[in-house]
Amino acid sequence: MKTIPKFVSLIILMFSSKFLIAQKFEIYKQTDLNRLLAAAKTDSASIIERLAALKFHQLLNKYRKENKLDTVAWNDIFWLTCRNHSVYMIVNDELTHTQQKGKEKFTGKEPGNRLLFVEDGNASFSWRGENALYFFNTSYIGKNAEEIAEDIAEKAFDTWKKSPGHNANMLGSGHKIHGAAFVTDGLIVYGTSLFGITVTPYYASQAIAYEKEVKTGTNENNQIHEERITVTSSSSIRKMLDKFIKNKLANLNPDKALTTSAMKHIEYLYANKEFTHEQTRGRRNFYAKTPQQRIAKAQGKLFWFLAKNSYYHEYIAVYETNVKDFQAEYAAEKILAELVEKNQLNLSGFSTYGFAIKVRTKDEKVKIWAVLII
């Protein structure tokens, strides 16, 4: 592609974005998220980058409300995916939706592939639409980080709003989650905005997983409008929920014995369709009668069956919803509220935990059992 003249003030439509302060052109995965968020509090370029993304998200939701649409939830996995794509575009001087293998900073041909890259192959989300652009931002002189970020967010929003295809993406009625990212090199800004949903198990009772992709075409400005229907299994739902909840417990250390105890009890509850802290000998998947005995047994104690007291406590939650209404992030929040908030637990007072989750899909229903030992 022809090199962009850095003295020209213009806007080119498509999907991409750059900042006025030079960024570190690196690609990241979800395991790098905490490090990036920490940098967004201290590094000047990262501060502007993160602020611009969040301010654009606010403008987007305000616009959706004005058009009587549901707001979309911010998603950091989508943010990383967008950032990686913006980095690809800026280092290759190319405004595109499709990356080419072999080029610098390649993370996947299509947005779906790039999501998988960030998640290390765990398909927790499905994308519905992507916007990209680049422009020159000369309005930053004499302004602070927040003002610069506002300029970037507003210019991107106004540019996409004026383009019918991009505007249609911003007002998509099926969108549930969103992320955006802007990367800069001097005055040049490349940006990407990605819309999607949490993986929805339309036929989750089937022990299969496949993806149907419907492309509605590419217009003259290369906007892409795609819908993906993901069909997944109970196992996939469990993995998604397990990941979401463990991310919330990231400040604690998982304990092997506590996790084993939680898993043994969740298997008992699941097999016997019960909601109880005490197991009954003779029932399916019996491990030990009380939480104290199960923990002692998992710890390998010789006289575990005599255990009566324990430093740890066991908490149980059950959540049920219709398959078509299932949202992994929302379900994870509900389960955590049942386990933590209802029991008035202050997680900062704990150092270790054990957690297990089990999912059953039947008759268009999703039922989830969760056990937390802390």
PDB file of all heavy atoms in Angstrom, residues 19 21-28 35-36 39 42-43 45-46 49 83-84 86-87 90-91 105 183-185:
ATOM      1  N   PHE A  19      -2.786   6.452  17.074  1.00  0.00           N
ATOM      2  CA  PHE A  19      -2.731   7.575  17.999  1.00  0.00           C
ATOM      3  C   PHE A  19      -1.689   8.626  17.646  1.00  0.00           C
ATOM      4  O   PHE A  19      -0.790   8.417  16.883  1.00  0.00           O
ATOM      5  CB  PHE A  19      -2.404   7.065  19.411  1.00  0.00           C
ATOM      6  CG  PHE A  19      -3.572   6.491  20.096  1.00  0.00           C
ATOM      7  CD1 PHE A  19      -3.620   5.147  20.339  1.00  0.00           C
ATOM      8  CD2 PHE A  19      -4.609   7.282  20.501  1.00  0.00           C
ATOM      9  CE1 PHE A  19      -4.688   4.606  20.994  1.00  0.00           C
ATOM     10  CE2 PHE A  19      -5.664   6.745  21.143  1.00  0.00           C
ATOM     11  CZ  PHE A  19      -5.717   5.415  21.381  1.00  0.00           C
ATOM     12  N   ILE A  21       0.394   9.749  19.971  1.00  0.00           N
ATOM     13  CA  ILE A  21       1.616   9.371  20.689  1.00  0.00           C
ATOM     14  C   ILE A  21       1.961   7.945  20.277  1.00  0.00           C
ATOM     15  O   ILE A  21       1.117   7.075  20.286  1.00  0.00           O
ATOM     16  CB  ILE A  21       1.401   9.454  22.202  1.00  0.00           C
ATOM     17  CG1 ILE A  21       1.086  10.899  22.595  1.00  0.00           C
ATOM     18  CG2 ILE A  21       2.609   8.952  22.954  1.00  0.00           C
ATOM     19  CD1 ILE A  21       0.781  11.081  24.056  1.00  0.00           C
ATOM     20  N   ALA A  22       3.195   7.708  19.944  1.00  0.00           N
ATOM     21  CA  ALA A  22       3.577   6.390  19.439  1.00  0.00           C
ATOM     22  C   ALA A  22       3.369   5.306  20.484  1.00  0.00           C
ATOM     23  O   ALA A  22       3.746   5.449  21.638  1.00  0.00           O
ATOM     24  CB  ALA A  22       5.037   6.409  19.003  1.00  0.00           C
ATOM     25  N   GLN A  23       2.748   4.214  20.072  1.00  0.00           N
ATOM     26  CA  GLN A  23       2.473   3.093  20.948  1.00  0.00           C
ATOM     27  C   GLN A  23       3.536   2.010  20.781  1.00  0.00           C
ATOM     28  O   GLN A  23       4.339   2.030  19.865  1.00  0.00           O
ATOM     29  CB  GLN A  23       1.108   2.495  20.591  1.00  0.00           C
ATOM     30  CG  GLN A  23      -0.037   3.474  20.613  1.00  0.00           C
ATOM     31  CD  GLN A  23      -0.431   3.856  22.016  1.00  0.00           C
ATOM     32  OE1 GLN A  23      -0.603   3.003  22.860  1.00  0.00           O
ATOM     33  NE2 GLN A  23      -0.562   5.133  22.257  1.00  0.00           N
ATOM     34  N   LYS A  24       3.494   1.048  21.684  1.00  0.00           N
ATOM     35  CA  LYS A  24       4.307  -0.148  21.525  1.00  0.00           C
ATOM     36  C   LYS A  24       3.518  -1.105  20.645  1.00  0.00           C
ATOM     37  O   LYS A  24       2.447  -1.558  21.020  1.00  0.00           O
ATOM     38  CB  LYS A  24       4.582  -0.770  22.891  1.00  0.00           C
ATOM     39  CG  LYS A  24       5.433   0.100  23.802  1.00  0.00           C
ATOM     40  CD  LYS A  24       5.623  -0.556  25.163  1.00  0.00           C
ATOM     41  CE  LYS A  24       6.460   0.326  26.065  1.00  0.00           C
ATOM     42  NZ  LYS A  24       6.625  -0.276  27.417  1.00  0.00           N
ATOM     43  N   PHE A  25       4.037  -1.390  19.475  1.00  0.00           N
ATOM     44  CA  PHE A  25       3.301  -2.187  18.513  1.00  0.00           C
ATOM     45  C   PHE A  25       3.497  -3.676  18.775  1.00  0.00           C
ATOM     46  O   PHE A  25       4.170  -4.381  18.029  1.00  0.00           O
ATOM     47  CB  PHE A  25       3.708  -1.811  17.094  1.00  0.00           C
ATOM     48  CG  PHE A  25       3.467  -0.360  16.777  1.00  0.00           C
ATOM     49  CD1 PHE A  25       4.354   0.357  15.990  1.00  0.00           C
ATOM     50  CD2 PHE A  25       2.354   0.283  17.275  1.00  0.00           C
ATOM     51  CE1 PHE A  25       4.126   1.691  15.701  1.00  0.00           C
ATOM     52  CE2 PHE A  25       2.107   1.616  16.989  1.00  0.00           C
ATOM     53  CZ  PHE A  25       3.005   2.331  16.203  1.00  0.00           C
ATOM     54  N   GLU A  26       2.905  -4.141  19.839  1.00  0.00           N
ATOM     55  CA  GLU A  26       2.963  -5.549  20.215  1.00  0.00           C
ATOM     56  C   GLU A  26       1.567  -6.149  20.181  1.00  0.00           C
ATOM     57  O   GLU A  26       0.573  -5.440  20.308  1.00  0.00           O
ATOM     58  CB  GLU A  26       3.556  -5.716  21.619  1.00  0.00           C
ATOM     59  CG  GLU A  26       4.972  -5.169  21.783  1.00  0.00           C
ATOM     60  CD  GLU A  26       5.979  -5.911  20.914  1.00  0.00           C
ATOM     61  OE1 GLU A  26       5.748  -7.104  20.598  1.00  0.00           O
ATOM     62  OE2 GLU A  26       7.000  -5.294  20.547  1.00  0.00           O
ATOM     63  N   ILE A  27       1.489  -7.468  19.994  1.00  0.00           N
ATOM     64  CA  ILE A  27       0.201  -8.164  20.045  1.00  0.00           C
ATOM     65  C   ILE A  27       0.119  -8.933  21.360  1.00  0.00           C
ATOM     66  O   ILE A  27       1.126  -9.381  21.896  1.00  0.00           O
ATOM     67  CB  ILE A  27       0.014  -9.099  18.839  1.00  0.00           C
ATOM     68  CG1 ILE A  27       1.199 -10.063  18.705  1.00  0.00           C
ATOM     69  CG2 ILE A  27      -0.183  -8.293  17.567  1.00  0.00           C
ATOM     70  CD1 ILE A  27       1.070 -11.059  17.577  1.00  0.00           C
ATOM     71  N   TYR A  28      -1.104  -9.086  21.865  1.00  0.00           N
ATOM     72  CA  TYR A  28      -1.282  -9.651  23.197  1.00  0.00           C
ATOM     73  C   TYR A  28      -2.398 -10.692  23.231  1.00  0.00           C
ATOM     74  O   TYR A  28      -3.265 -10.718  22.357  1.00  0.00           O
ATOM     75  CB  TYR A  28      -1.619  -8.540  24.193  1.00  0.00           C
ATOM     76  CG  TYR A  28      -0.548  -7.499  24.344  1.00  0.00           C
ATOM     77  CD1 TYR A  28      -0.651  -6.277  23.684  1.00  0.00           C
ATOM     78  CD2 TYR A  28       0.577  -7.736  25.132  1.00  0.00           C
ATOM     79  CE1 TYR A  28       0.338  -5.310  23.825  1.00  0.00           C
ATOM     80  CE2 TYR A  28       1.567  -6.770  25.277  1.00  0.00           C
ATOM     81  CZ  TYR A  28       1.440  -5.559  24.629  1.00  0.00           C
ATOM     82  OH  TYR A  28       2.408  -4.627  24.760  1.00  0.00           O
ATOM     83  N   ARG A  35      -1.460  -6.850  32.866  1.00  0.00           N
ATOM     84  CA  ARG A  35      -0.276  -6.029  32.619  1.00  0.00           C
ATOM     85  C   ARG A  35      -0.625  -4.796  31.784  1.00  0.00           C
ATOM     86  O   ARG A  35      -0.144  -3.692  32.058  1.00  0.00           O
ATOM     87  CB  ARG A  35       0.794  -6.869  31.921  1.00  0.00           C
ATOM     88  CG  ARG A  35       2.068  -6.124  31.619  1.00  0.00           C
ATOM     89  CD  ARG A  35       3.209  -7.108  31.392  1.00  0.00           C
ATOM     90  NE  ARG A  35       2.895  -8.080  30.354  1.00  0.00           N
ATOM     91  CZ  ARG A  35       3.136  -7.881  29.059  1.00  0.00           C
ATOM     92  NH1 ARG A  35       3.679  -6.751  28.663  1.00  0.00           N
ATOM     93  NH2 ARG A  35       2.863  -8.814  28.168  1.00  0.00           N
ATOM     94  N   LEU A  36      -1.480  -4.981  30.782  1.00  0.00           N
ATOM     95  CA  LEU A  36      -1.892  -3.859  29.944  1.00  0.00           C
ATOM     96  C   LEU A  36      -2.739  -2.859  30.717  1.00  0.00           C
ATOM     97  O   LEU A  36      -2.614  -1.646  30.548  1.00  0.00           O
ATOM     98  CB  LEU A  36      -2.665  -4.374  28.730  1.00  0.00           C
ATOM     99  CG  LEU A  36      -1.826  -4.966  27.600  1.00  0.00           C
ATOM    100  CD1 LEU A  36      -2.727  -5.527  26.520  1.00  0.00           C
ATOM    101  CD2 LEU A  36      -0.895  -3.931  27.026  1.00  0.00           C
ATOM    102  N   ALA A  39      -0.546  -0.780  32.799  1.00  0.00           N
ATOM    103  CA  ALA A  39       0.151   0.222  31.989  1.00  0.00           C
ATOM    104  C   ALA A  39      -0.768   1.392  31.667  1.00  0.00           C
ATOM    105  O   ALA A  39      -0.315   2.538  31.539  1.00  0.00           O
ATOM    106  CB  ALA A  39       0.664  -0.413  30.701  1.00  0.00           C
ATOM    107  N   THR A  42      -0.320   4.260  34.086  1.00  0.00           N
ATOM    108  CA  THR A  42       0.963   4.944  34.277  1.00  0.00           C
ATOM    109  C   THR A  42       1.603   5.432  32.977  1.00  0.00           C
ATOM    110  O   THR A  42       2.212   6.497  32.949  1.00  0.00           O
ATOM    111  CB  THR A  42       1.960   4.007  34.989  1.00  0.00           C
ATOM    112  OG1 THR A  42       2.113   2.803  34.216  1.00  0.00           O
ATOM    113  CG2 THR A  42       1.455   3.633  36.383  1.00  0.00           C
ATOM    114  N   ASP A  43       1.490   4.666  31.908  1.00  0.00           N
ATOM    115  CA  ASP A  43       2.123   5.017  30.636  1.00  0.00           C
ATOM    116  C   ASP A  43       1.243   5.983  29.854  1.00  0.00           C
ATOM    117  O   ASP A  43       0.061   5.715  29.627  1.00  0.00           O
ATOM    118  CB  ASP A  43       2.365   3.746  29.819  1.00  0.00           C
ATOM    119  CG  ASP A  43       2.950   4.050  28.457  1.00  0.00           C
ATOM    120  OD1 ASP A  43       4.131   4.414  28.392  1.00  0.00           O
ATOM    121  OD2 ASP A  43       2.193   3.933  27.471  1.00  0.00           O
ATOM    122  N   ALA A  45       0.963   6.990  26.694  1.00  0.00           N
ATOM    123  CA  ALA A  45       0.339   6.503  25.459  1.00  0.00           C
ATOM    124  C   ALA A  45      -0.750   5.497  25.761  1.00  0.00           C
ATOM    125  O   ALA A  45      -1.832   5.525  25.162  1.00  0.00           O
ATOM    126  CB  ALA A  45       1.397   5.874  24.565  1.00  0.00           C
ATOM    127  N   SER A  46      -0.488   4.597  26.708  1.00  0.00           N
ATOM    128  CA  SER A  46      -1.484   3.578  27.072  1.00  0.00           C
ATOM    129  C   SER A  46      -2.694   4.202  27.734  1.00  0.00           C
ATOM    130  O   SER A  46      -3.824   3.735  27.571  1.00  0.00           O
ATOM    131  CB  SER A  46      -0.851   2.544  28.005  1.00  0.00           C
ATOM    132  OG  SER A  46       0.207   1.869  27.363  1.00  0.00           O
ATOM    133  N   GLU A  49      -4.785   5.624  24.949  1.00  0.00           N
ATOM    134  CA  GLU A  49      -5.354   4.504  24.189  1.00  0.00           C
ATOM    135  C   GLU A  49      -6.578   3.912  24.885  1.00  0.00           C
ATOM    136  O   GLU A  49      -7.629   3.727  24.281  1.00  0.00           O
ATOM    137  CB  GLU A  49      -4.289   3.429  24.013  1.00  0.00           C
ATOM    138  CG  GLU A  49      -4.795   2.139  23.394  1.00  0.00           C
ATOM    139  CD  GLU A  49      -3.759   1.042  23.427  1.00  0.00           C
ATOM    140  OE1 GLU A  49      -2.585   1.333  23.133  1.00  0.00           O
ATOM    141  OE2 GLU A  49      -4.117  -0.106  23.747  1.00  0.00           O
ATOM    142  N   ARG A  83      -7.302  -4.230  19.462  1.00  0.00           N
ATOM    143  CA  ARG A  83      -5.972  -3.629  19.561  1.00  0.00           C
ATOM    144  C   ARG A  83      -4.972  -4.384  18.691  1.00  0.00           C
ATOM    145  O   ARG A  83      -4.157  -3.778  17.984  1.00  0.00           O
ATOM    146  CB  ARG A  83      -5.499  -3.603  21.018  1.00  0.00           C
ATOM    147  CG  ARG A  83      -4.261  -2.756  21.198  1.00  0.00           C
ATOM    148  CD  ARG A  83      -3.704  -2.799  22.603  1.00  0.00           C
ATOM    149  NE  ARG A  83      -2.614  -1.826  22.720  1.00  0.00           N
ATOM    150  CZ  ARG A  83      -1.400  -1.991  22.219  1.00  0.00           C
ATOM    151  NH1 ARG A  83      -1.104  -3.111  21.570  1.00  0.00           N
ATOM    152  NH2 ARG A  83      -0.478  -1.057  22.356  1.00  0.00           N
ATOM    153  N   ASN A  84      -5.028  -5.712  18.741  1.00  0.00           N
ATOM    154  CA  ASN A  84      -4.126  -6.505  17.907  1.00  0.00           C
ATOM    155  C   ASN A  84      -4.318  -6.197  16.428  1.00  0.00           C
ATOM    156  O   ASN A  84      -3.347  -6.096  15.668  1.00  0.00           O
ATOM    157  CB  ASN A  84      -4.357  -8.000  18.159  1.00  0.00           C
ATOM    158  CG  ASN A  84      -3.778  -8.465  19.485  1.00  0.00           C
ATOM    159  OD1 ASN A  84      -2.986  -7.784  20.115  1.00  0.00           O
ATOM    160  ND2 ASN A  84      -4.201  -9.648  19.912  1.00  0.00           N
ATOM    161  N   SER A  86      -5.582  -3.413  15.113  1.00  0.00           N
ATOM    162  CA  SER A  86      -5.113  -2.054  14.840  1.00  0.00           C
ATOM    163  C   SER A  86      -3.591  -2.024  14.724  1.00  0.00           C
ATOM    164  O   SER A  86      -3.035  -1.307  13.887  1.00  0.00           O
ATOM    165  CB  SER A  86      -5.590  -1.108  15.946  1.00  0.00           C
ATOM    166  OG  SER A  86      -6.994  -0.999  15.953  1.00  0.00           O
ATOM    167  N   VAL A  87      -2.918  -2.798  15.564  1.00  0.00           N
ATOM    168  CA  VAL A  87      -1.457  -2.901  15.483  1.00  0.00           C
ATOM    169  C   VAL A  87      -1.046  -3.501  14.142  1.00  0.00           C
ATOM    170  O   VAL A  87      -0.107  -3.031  13.485  1.00  0.00           O
ATOM    171  CB  VAL A  87      -0.903  -3.745  16.655  1.00  0.00           C
ATOM    172  CG1 VAL A  87       0.541  -4.154  16.400  1.00  0.00           C
ATOM    173  CG2 VAL A  87      -1.002  -2.964  17.957  1.00  0.00           C
ATOM    174  N   ILE A  90      -1.428  -0.850  11.464  1.00  0.00           N
ATOM    175  CA  ILE A  90      -0.484   0.268  11.534  1.00  0.00           C
ATOM    176  C   ILE A  90       0.927  -0.143  11.122  1.00  0.00           C
ATOM    177  O   ILE A  90       1.626   0.600  10.442  1.00  0.00           O
ATOM    178  CB  ILE A  90      -0.504   0.899  12.950  1.00  0.00           C
ATOM    179  CG1 ILE A  90      -0.030   2.349  12.888  1.00  0.00           C
ATOM    180  CG2 ILE A  90       0.333   0.119  13.934  1.00  0.00           C
ATOM    181  CD1 ILE A  90      -0.283   3.124  14.177  1.00  0.00           C
ATOM    182  N   VAL A  91       1.359  -1.344  11.514  1.00  0.00           N
ATOM    183  CA  VAL A  91       2.718  -1.760  11.158  1.00  0.00           C
ATOM    184  C   VAL A  91       2.820  -2.163   9.690  1.00  0.00           C
ATOM    185  O   VAL A  91       3.901  -2.086   9.086  1.00  0.00           O
ATOM    186  CB  VAL A  91       3.222  -2.918  12.055  1.00  0.00           C
ATOM    187  CG1 VAL A  91       3.250  -2.500  13.506  1.00  0.00           C
ATOM    188  CG2 VAL A  91       2.401  -4.171  11.862  1.00  0.00           C
ATOM    189  N   LYS A 105       2.866  -9.108  12.807  1.00  0.00           N
ATOM    190  CA  LYS A 105       1.790  -8.978  13.800  1.00  0.00           C
ATOM    191  C   LYS A 105       0.501  -9.686  13.384  1.00  0.00           C
ATOM    192  O   LYS A 105      -0.589  -9.317  13.803  1.00  0.00           O
ATOM    193  CB  LYS A 105       1.494  -7.501  14.103  1.00  0.00           C
ATOM    194  CG  LYS A 105       2.720  -6.682  14.459  1.00  0.00           C
ATOM    195  CD  LYS A 105       3.484  -7.239  15.640  1.00  0.00           C
ATOM    196  CE  LYS A 105       4.701  -6.387  15.974  1.00  0.00           C
ATOM    197  NZ  LYS A 105       5.537  -6.968  17.046  1.00  0.00           N
ATOM    198  N   VAL A 183      -4.826   2.835  18.109  1.00  0.00           N
ATOM    199  CA  VAL A 183      -3.368   2.794  18.213  1.00  0.00           C
ATOM    200  C   VAL A 183      -2.815   3.959  17.397  1.00  0.00           C
ATOM    201  O   VAL A 183      -3.315   4.256  16.313  1.00  0.00           O
ATOM    202  CB  VAL A 183      -2.820   1.446  17.701  1.00  0.00           C
ATOM    203  CG1 VAL A 183      -1.307   1.394  17.813  1.00  0.00           C
ATOM    204  CG2 VAL A 183      -3.434   0.297  18.492  1.00  0.00           C
ATOM    205  N   THR A 184      -1.793   4.618  17.918  1.00  0.00           N
ATOM    206  CA  THR A 184      -1.282   5.816  17.258  1.00  0.00           C
ATOM    207  C   THR A 184       0.192   5.709  16.902  1.00  0.00           C
ATOM    208  O   THR A 184       0.967   5.020  17.549  1.00  0.00           O
ATOM    209  CB  THR A 184      -1.463   7.047  18.163  1.00  0.00           C
ATOM    210  OG1 THR A 184      -0.672   6.878  19.327  1.00  0.00           O
ATOM    211  CG2 THR A 184      -2.906   7.235  18.548  1.00  0.00           C
ATOM    212  N   ASP A 185       0.545   6.462  15.873  1.00  0.00           N
ATOM    213  CA  ASP A 185       1.941   6.637  15.483  1.00  0.00           C
ATOM    214  C   ASP A 185       2.076   8.084  15.028  1.00  0.00           C
ATOM    215  O   ASP A 185       1.702   8.427  13.910  1.00  0.00           O
ATOM    216  CB  ASP A 185       2.315   5.677  14.369  1.00  0.00           C
ATOM    217  CG  ASP A 185       3.794   5.742  14.023  1.00  0.00           C
ATOM    218  OD1 ASP A 185       4.555   6.345  14.799  1.00  0.00           O
ATOM    219  OD2 ASP A 185       4.167   5.200  12.979  1.00  0.00           O
TER     220      ASP A 185
END
